[in-house]
Amino acid sequence: MKATGFACVYFTDERDRPLQLHSVYSPAHPWQPAGGTMEPGERPWQTAVRECREETGITVAGPPRLLAAVYGLPGDEWPYSTMGLVFDGGRLGEDRIRDIVLDPEEHDEVRVLPVEEWRPLMPARDFARLRAIADARRTGVAAYFDTWDWGAG
C-alpha cells in the first residue's frame, strides 16, 4: 500500500472558534487548517511547523500537542491512502489573526467561525474532521478520524 503523509496546525480564536484558510487550488476541499504534505526526510511536527510558517507567517512553538490522527482511503481524486496528524496551535488573539500573511499561491482568505457555521461551507467529511478536531481540543482526548476517504462526499 502506498500513502502520502500530511501534518497541520489547528488554531482557534480566543473564543475557541476554528480558524480555517480558503484554498485557491482545491475546490474539493475549500477550507483547511494550515498544513500540508510531508517532504522526504521530514517528520510530522516539522511538516506542521514549516507549512504553517509558509502559509500564515506564524511559527508554532512546541512542544507538539497532538489533537488528531486522520486517515483516508484512496479514490479517483487521489490514488494513495492519506495519513496525517493534526497538532494544536493554540488560541490566537484578534491582532495575531489580522496579521496573518497568506501565501497567495495556496490561500486567499482567513476566516474564523463557530464550528456549526463551517458546516455549509465544506464537504461533509471535511466538516466531520473539523468537528472531531474541535472535540479533541475541548475534551483533551486525541481523535482518531479514519473516514476522510478520497472519493467520498
Side-chain angles (χ1 to χ4, degrees):
M1 176 168 77
K2 295 189 181 211
T4 56
F6 72 90
C8 56
V9 180
Y10 174 79
F11 291 108
T12 63
D13 67 359
E14 292 173 331
R15 296 188 310 192
D16 287 327
R17 298 178 304 175
L19 180 145
Q20 300 271 306
L21 308 178
H22 185 259
S23 172
V24 299
Y25 61 85
S26 180
H29 304 284
W31 292 97
Q32 312 166 349
T37 304
M38 295 172 63
E39 293 183 353
E42 223 174 25
R43 297 179 190 277
W45 175 245
Q46 291 171 315
T47 299
V49 171
R50 175 185 54 78
E51 286 281 347
C52 185
R53 185 178 54 250
E54 290 173 2
E55 294 180 356
T56 67
I58 297 172
T59 300
V60 182
R65 181 170 173 242
L66 183 65
L67 287 178
V70 178
Y71 176 80
L73 292 170
D76 292 338
E77 256 185 276
W78 188 251
Y80 304 108
S81 292
T82 304
M83 299 170 71
L85 299 178
V86 181
F87 296 98
D88 193 346
R91 292 170 178 85
L92 302 176
E94 288 181 31
D95 291 343
R96 187 64 195 105
I97 293 169
R98 195 175 320 109
D99 290 342
I100 287 175
V101 178
L102 297 175
D103 176 350
E105 293 182 16
E106 295 199 40
H107 302 99
D108 61 1
E109 184 182 350
V110 175
R111 198 176 289 184
V112 175
L113 296 171
V115 172
E116 279 302 317
E117 289 184 27
W118 285 110
R119 186 186 299 269
L121 302 177
M122 56 180 50
R125 68 178 173 196
D126 290 5
F127 179 75
R129 178 183 65 169
L130 177 64
R131 174 171 290 292
I133 294 165
D135 288 347
R137 161 78 87 67
R138 183 180 47 76
T139 65
V141 178
Y144 173 68
F145 189 78
D146 69 350
T147 57
W148 199 65
D149 299 342
W150 293 92

